[in-house]
Amino acid sequence: MGTTEVIDPATGEVFTTVPSLGSAETDAAIERARTAFGEWRQVSPGDRARLLRRFAAVVEDHLEELATLEVRNAGHTIGNARWEAGNVRDVLNYYAGAPERLSGRQIPVPGGVDVTFHEPLGVVGIIVPWNFPMPIAGWGFAPALAAGNTVVLKPAELTPLTAIRLGELALEAGLPEHVFQVLPGKGSVVGQRFVTHPAVRKVCFTGSTEVGKSIMAGCADQVKRVTLELGGKSANIIFADADLSAAAAAAPGAVFDNAGQDCCARSRLLIQESVYDRFLELLEPAVRRFRVLDPSDDSSEMGPLISAGQRDAVTSYLEGSDIAFRGTVPEANGWWFPPTVLLARSNADRHWREEIFGPVVSVLPFRDEEDAIRLANDTEYGLSGSLWTRDVGRALRVSRAVETGALSVNSNSSVRYWTPFGGMKQSGLGRELGPDALLSFTDVKNVFISTGA
């Protein structure tokens, strides 16, 4: 077993190391989870619910510790990190209500009684990305545990610390040993073993579309279930009748939050031609005011990128592009990149089509409603998006026509833990969160009981 260095993105300095598990250690952990599943699935619904509520309470007690850890590990602003730790608490509390409500059906049939049961799958492998390490982990393990599965979770190599701590807090809360295990290591080792090990009956993956396709293909060999939340290139559509001041004020946060390292980032800004110039006039001061500061500063709205490699990748999109205006960054070490607005010459521009995963937004005008829908849908992705208009009929028409899994009107919100979240097209498969997520961690079993003599 080796080790991995953990770097503070705000300084570029190594500040700790964590274990990096090999194949043997991963297999041993999966076997422990398989053994623990036999007992965990038999825990009564009420007791399972109480343990999840206790887990949520322990997370609440360690909220500031988890947030501070995420600031240093992932470069998230302290405000965002507090929300993320709170989201883990809230998701645990939400799914703590699920074990006692995981009801089957009684289906009318002749000659007997027919009932269905939602049976847990077994061991669930969860592969978490580096951009939102805490909440995305919780979106997987909370419903999986509530449904009676055991969980092995692989955090991203760059950001393992909060996941490791959550694993410790689960034990502190009283979850039985080996029911929830965190396995730090390389994706090519730990994550790949989740795909190939026959005891792992489902894989949840959040990350790039390219890797998601590979995981899906690998799981097919064992007819293994998958939930995939993949890339995005979401549109923010501004109609001429919208509240332009409100839309312009909200637009920077919609793409620069978490330094643009968000699959839901509204990184394609579509503006109706008749208000194009006016909207850019409103947008520029909003971008320049966006506060990029030390992420531990309570007033910071954006921190650094996750790594030097990511900064280089984002920088490559500026070559030959038309820069409209930019924000500012601290004069400090670390992986800083200013909020940037690019003017697209057409929808063929590389920065318009590809997921940049940085604080860069591409702007393009559109003619009318039909043109806006055409441009919004001209992408392989379909995860999130927004539209701004005062016309209720248009809001409904365009919402139904845009091919995306989550869309907001006069808002840029994507995620609520009590509503479904997931993508269309190459942005993913399946839905997380909301009332139905639990069912994706179960199989439906049908039982017919004859009442004949």
Side-chain angles (χ1 to χ4, degrees), residues 226-229 421-423 428-432 440:
V226 291
T227 295
L228 304 173
E229 196 268 277
F421 176 73
L429 183 70
R431 293 293 180 268
E432 297 175 300
S440 71

Side-chain angles (χ1 to χ4, degrees), residues 237-291:
I237 307 169
I238 315 297
F239 286 97
D241 70 327
D243 182 336
L244 298 183
S245 295
V255 67
F256 303 144
D257 183 61
N258 199 30
Q261 300 166 131
D262 182 354
C263 296
C264 294
R266 276 72 166 166
S267 55
R268 293 185 300 148
L269 184 55
L270 283 159
I271 308 168
Q272 195 156 18
E273 286 176 340
S274 60
V275 295
Y276 181 81
D277 292 336
R278 176 57 182 154
F279 190 84
L280 289 179
E281 289 175 358
L282 294 168
L283 181 64
E284 182 171 3
V287 170
R288 296 196 187 280
R289 285 195 303 267
F290 206 74
R291 295 186 298 274

Side-chain angles (χ1 to χ4, degrees), residues 15 55 57-74 76-78 80-86 88-89 134 160-170 172 296:
F15 69 95
F55 190 3
V58 173
V59 170
E60 168 72 19
D61 292 341
H62 293 81
L63 208 69
E64 194 67 17
E65 174 199 347
L66 288 165
T68 303
L69 198 59
E70 204 70 289
V71 169
R72 196 160 191 207
N73 190 182
H76 290 191
T77 64
I78 185 64
N80 280 6
R82 287 175 179 139
W83 178 90
E84 291 156 18
V88 176
R89 170 205 60 209
M134 276 194 287
L161 299 184
T162 47
I164 291 171
R165 187 65 181 126
L166 285 169
E168 295 167 349
L169 296 179
E172 184 178 320
S296 64

Side-chain angles (χ1 to χ4, degrees), residues 133-299:
M134 276 194 287
I136 292 176
W139 300 355
F141 69 67
L145 293 171
N149 303 281
T150 54
V151 171
V152 286
L153 184 146
K154 193 204 88 66
E157 294 168 65
L158 293 171
T159 56
L161 299 184
T162 47
I164 291 171
R165 187 65 181 126
L166 285 169
E168 295 167 349
L169 296 179
L171 291 174
E172 184 178 320
L175 265 71
E177 198 173 16
H178 310 316
V179 165
F180 175 43
Q181 301 175 76
V182 177
L183 313 181
K186 294 182 178 180
S188 59
V189 178
V190 180
Q192 184 62 21
R193 202 66 187 109
F194 290 178
V195 173
T196 59
H197 198 297
V200 177
R201 295 311 311 149
K202 176 169 182 173
V203 174
C204 298
F205 171 78
T206 300
S208 73
T209 298
E210 180 182 4
V211 175
K213 290 177 180 178
S214 174
I215 287 173
M216 188 174 181
C219 288
D221 186 59
Q222 298 174 15
V223 196
K224 186 175 298 189
R225 289 151 185 77
V226 291
T227 295
L228 304 173
E229 196 268 277
L230 308 176
K233 190 69 175 176
S234 298
N236 188 3
I237 307 169
I238 315 297
F239 286 97
D241 70 327
D243 182 336
L244 298 183
S245 295
V255 67
F256 303 144
D257 183 61
N258 199 30
Q261 300 166 131
D262 182 354
C263 296
C264 294
R266 276 72 166 166
S267 55
R268 293 185 300 148
L269 184 55
L270 283 159
I271 308 168
Q272 195 156 18
E273 286 176 340
S274 60
V275 295
Y276 181 81
D277 292 336
R278 176 57 182 154
F279 190 84
L280 289 179
E281 289 175 358
L282 294 168
L283 181 64
E284 182 171 3
V287 170
R288 296 196 187 280
R289 285 195 303 267
F290 206 74
R291 295 186 298 274
V292 185
L293 303 169
D294 184 319
S296 64
D297 189 322
D298 281 331
S299 64

Side-chain angles (χ1 to χ4, degrees), residues 7-67:
I7 297 173
D8 184 337
T11 65
E13 297 175 354
V14 175
F15 69 95
T16 191
T17 60
V18 299
S20 183
L21 274 60
S23 296
E25 294 94 349
T26 303
D27 283 359
I30 292 171
E31 288 300 329
R32 292 193 296 269
R34 175 166 32 194
T35 300
F37 171 63
E39 295 184 5
W40 178 244
R41 70 178 304 182
Q42 299 301 326
V43 173
S44 71
D47 287 340
R48 202 183 306 146
R50 275 189 286 275
L51 285 169
L52 291 177
R53 283 194 290 270
R54 192 178 304 160
F55 190 3
V58 173
V59 170
E60 168 72 19
D61 292 341
H62 293 81
L63 208 69
E64 194 67 17
E65 174 199 347
L66 288 165

